[in-house]
Amino acid sequence: MFAIALTLLMFLSACSSAAPTGPAAGRALVDEAAAAMGGWSALDSVKSQEIITGGADVEPLQAVEPTGQPRVINQFGQDIVADFAKNRMRLSFDAIREYPSRQPVKFVETVDGDGGMLETPQPDGKTARERMHPSRYATRLRDMRRMPIRILYTAKNAPDLTRDPDKIDGKVTINVLRFKDGGQPVELQLDSFNKLPLRVIYTEDDPIYGDTLNELAFFDWRDYNGVRLPQSQATFLNGNKIREERVRTLINNPKYEDDSLTIPAEIRSQPEVGERIVSQWPLRRLVMGVNYLDFGREQKVELVEVAKGVYHIKGSDHHSMAVEMKDHVIMIEAPFFEERSVAVIKAVEQKIPGKPIKYLVVTHFHIDHSGGIRAYAAKGATILMQETNMPFLKTLLSRPKTMNPDSLAKAGSITPKVEGVKDVKSLSDGERTVELRDLPNPHSSGMLMVYLPKEKMLFESDLFTPGTPVDPTNTLGVENAVALFTGINNANIQVDRIVGGHGEVAPLRELAKIAPQGKGTSN
């Protein structure tokens, strides 16, 4: 009886003992995971792959509210042919964009060693070919290394590979490996029961949320001639899903034309303009078919005086506005990212010397309009947003920024100043008044328009692009224009000109042509 009890005690003790940790345990765990996927010999035999998937991209930071349902950006089909031995890949993307307007988004990317090429169909039926943006290229290389068939090799080849203590998720025990890939910290989680990869999480920099967990999760594993691979995968940023896709066809060691993975000399010889920043940010933009090219590049800033002491700040397709007051400056809009704001601040300080930027007004929270806020907070400006966006703003300003420290992170103990706006708020120096006004609309809750009564001028973003006709088939675009026209009429303000967060400066009558039915109505 005693022997039985002793045996049981030893068994229970063994079951409750902690799993080994450290570099040796990490290497052993990678070998276990490789065995679960079919063994190193089977994995080694896969020199190339073709993977055809279908899925959808969604964007939490294009939702109507910061915590609202993410907007569906597209439905896509994607075909990847990858040659792992030569570090080459061809990605063909074919989507129907659903937001901000319905239209096709198509491109082909070729990664060939130390260079990348982008091919984009043109309206005339021809194809434009150019060297790939360096950040886009670097991020695609990262994505190759974290493909299901490659992630164990990435871990195995990392000199700092180690095993951490297990994690408990409900009733599930998760084995944890850690290492760095290209300077980014990586956590690879394995199912403790079958040793298959559950998710791989990279820590990267994001213009809005700073240190960000970029997670690729794997589901529905099946056997492909002796190699187990997932049928579905999803991408998350800080726990928010941004993509899901499912395999339609997967072929190991497919036949393909070698030229299809080769970049011509005339493309490879083009200069690479910008930094190789590994970040999901440009990929989130390009699947929408909208601009990302300023990312990681030198910023162009152009100040156009649209009234005495009022400057439309251009140089990109996302604009700001500076308003000179007696002893300070009011800025409207901080689009894109830190680097854009730093360049704009420098240009404004040179144009209007001796007057600090006292306020920054942000029209709404969307990904392309809020990424530069922290640079103004570092200068001591008070950040003004519609009051329902205050939780989002405070989160943005409090996030850690260690992967790519920005001006606010480097400033140390500065406490950012924020202020919520409800209904109408006036900023005046006795001579000039700037009014911030709530603007109900279908594009984004907590939207502000900025009105200068003396100049009879209004600044707005995303609801109307001055100088660009609204496509009458673009339902959301028409609804946005109607909302702006309605808001102006309901506010009973006199507006002669509209200054765009996109586009140019246009007379109110251009908006009235699009949205006459909005006059005198409420939204």
Side-chain angles (χ1 to χ4, degrees):
M1 187 72 175
F2 176 79
I4 294 174
L6 181 60
T7 301
L8 181 60
L9 181 63
M10 292 174 64
F11 175 77
L12 293 174
S13 176
C15 289
S16 62
S17 61
T21 58
R27 291 190 293 272
L29 185 55
V30 168
D31 288 340
E32 288 186 70
M37 291 180 65
W40 284 119
S41 294
L43 295 176
D44 289 345
S45 70
V46 181
K47 306 297 184 184
S48 59
Q49 278 189 323
E50 180 172 14
I51 307 173
I52 301 174
T53 63
D57 289 300
V58 300
E59 180 52 72
L61 286 180
Q62 290 288 353
V64 176
E65 301 174 355
T67 58
Q69 185 71 22
R71 272 196 166 106
V72 176
I73 300 302
N74 62 37
Q75 303 289 333
F76 70 83
Q78 184 169 278
D79 185 354
I80 293 177
V81 176
D83 177 348
F84 305 118
K86 296 183 179 180
N87 197 32
R88 303 186 301 175
M89 177 179 73
R90 183 177 178 87
L91 184 154
S92 302
F93 183 85
D94 189 345
I96 296 298
R97 187 180 77 182
E98 298 185 12
Y99 172 88
S101 62
R102 189 172 177 83
Q103 68 178 53
V105 177
K106 297 182 180 182
F107 56 79
V108 176
E109 300 171 344
T110 304
V111 171
D112 181 7
D114 198 44
M117 178 176 68
L118 173 65
E119 297 176 90
T120 309
Q122 302 299 296
D124 61 5
K126 297 181 180 179
T127 298
R129 306 169 84 189
E130 60 187 311
R131 190 178 182 107
M132 195 185 298
H133 185 287
S135 178
R136 185 171 180 172
Y137 163 79
T139 305
R140 289 304 192 197
L141 278 181
R142 187 273 306 275
D143 289 347
M144 278 187 68
R145 295 193 298 270
R146 69 173 183 177
M147 291 173 66
I149 194 71
R150 300 306 300 171
I151 187 59
L152 294 184
Y153 290 95
T154 304
K156 181 182 180 181
N157 294 331
D160 60 345
L161 172 67
T162 190
R163 179 173 179 175
D164 270 11
D166 292 342
K167 291 183 176 182
I168 306 298
D169 184 4
K171 296 182 179 180
V172 178
T173 300
I174 298 172
N175 300 152
V176 179
L177 291 167
R178 290 193 186 277
F179 54 94
K180 284 189 176 180
D181 177 25
Q184 291 187 324
V186 183
E187 178 179 322
L188 176 57
Q189 297 184 358
L190 308 174
D191 188 321
S192 65
F193 177 72
N194 58 25
K195 301 303 178 184
L196 291 172
L198 288 171
R199 56 187 66 91
V200 56
I201 307 169
Y202 279 69
T203 301
E204 67 180 21
D205 181 63
D206 180 80
I208 291 178
Y209 284 123
D211 296 356
T212 291
L213 301 180
N214 184 324
E215 172 187 333
L216 184 62
F218 307 117
F219 310 95
D220 306 327
W221 292 74
R222 60 161 283 189
D223 183 89
Y224 288 89
N225 296 321
V227 178
R228 296 184 73 186
L229 295 166
Q231 281 288 283
S232 302
Q233 62 185 42
T235 306
F236 301 81
L237 293 183
N238 293 325
N240 297 308
K241 184 185 291 185
I242 62 168
R243 168 175 280 203
E244 57 184 5
E245 58 188 312
R246 186 167 181 83
V247 172
R248 294 172 175 167
T249 302
L250 190 154
I251 304 172
N252 290 329
N253 301 314
K255 294 181 180 180
Y256 59 87
E257 295 293 330
D258 191 71
D259 287 350
S260 68
L261 300 184
T262 302
I263 298 177
E266 64 269 20
I267 303 298
R268 190 180 292 277
S269 64
Q270 292 178 3
E272 184 173 87
V273 182
E275 299 179 59
R276 293 187 176 185
I277 301 170
V278 178
S279 174
Q280 198 73 28
W281 194 90
L283 303 191
R284 290 157 71 188
R285 302 289 293 159
L286 66 90
V287 297
M288 293 175 65
V290 294
N291 186 27
Y292 64 94
L293 294 175
D294 286 351
F295 189 68
R297 289 180 172 173
E298 182 179 356
Q299 300 299 302
K300 298 178 181 178
V301 180
E302 178 186 3
L303 275 67
V304 179
E305 192 167 24
V306 292
K308 184 175 175 56
V310 181
Y311 300 91
H312 195 200
I313 303 174
K314 303 170 67 176
S316 172
D317 62 0
H318 284 60
H319 309 322
S320 303
M321 190 168 81
V323 181
E324 182 179 3
M325 308 296 277
K326 277 184 180 179
D327 59 0
H328 64 275
V329 174
I330 299 172
M331 290 294 303
I332 297 97
E333 212 72 314
F336 279 159
F337 30 71
E338 162 88 359
E339 293 77 9
R340 180 67 189 167
S341 286
V342 168
V344 168
I345 289 170
K346 181 179 179 181
V348 170
E349 289 178 339
Q350 291 175 345
K351 190 70 175 181
I352 313 174
K355 295 185 179 182
I357 297 172
K358 186 176 181 179
Y359 297 105
L360 167 70
V361 181
V362 184
T363 62
H364 62 301
F365 74 92
H366 280 174
I367 177 177
D368 50 333
H369 289 271
S370 57
I373 291 174
R374 288 170 57 100
Y376 289 91
K379 298 289 289 187
T382 297
I383 315 300
L384 300 168
M385 287 188 84
Q386 207 276 344
E387 65 173 8
T388 59
N389 289 326
M390 282 295 99
F392 165 82
L393 177 59
K394 291 177 181 179
T395 297
L396 182 155
L397 292 170
S398 64
R399 290 281 301 179
K401 265 268 193 179
T402 63
M403 295 295 295
N404 182 24
D406 61 6
S407 51
L408 184 59
K410 294 174 182 177
S413 59
I414 286 182
T415 301
K417 294 177 285 187
V418 301
E419 189 175 331
V421 176
K422 182 179 180 180
D423 299 329
V424 181
K425 180 178 179 63
S426 293
L427 305 173
S428 179
D429 62 3
E431 294 181 2
R432 169 174 278 159
T433 299
V434 177
E435 294 180 359
L436 318 180
R437 291 179 169 270
D438 275 348
L439 180 54
N441 70 96
H443 181 70
S444 173
S445 67
M447 176 77 80
L448 294 176
M449 58 182 179
V450 181
Y451 176 56
L452 280 63
K454 183 178 179 180
E455 294 78 8
K456 297 181 181 179
M457 182 181 295
L458 184 97
F459 181 97
E460 58 76 36
S461 284
D462 280 3
L463 302 182
F464 172 58
T465 302
T468 301
V470 174
D471 181 352
T473 66
N474 180 358
T475 302
L476 181 58
V478 172
E479 290 176 352
N480 288 336
V482 169
L484 177 59
F485 194 68
T486 300
I488 291 171
N489 280 283
N490 287 351
N492 196 28
I493 55 179
Q494 292 184 309
V495 175
D496 288 344
R497 291 182 293 165
I498 298 175
V499 181
H502 303 284
E504 305 295 333
V505 180
L508 180 66
R509 62 177 176 270
E510 293 301 317
L511 175 64
K513 291 177 183 178
I514 304 163
Q517 65 268 41
K519 187 173 181 179
T521 66
S522 60
N523 189 356

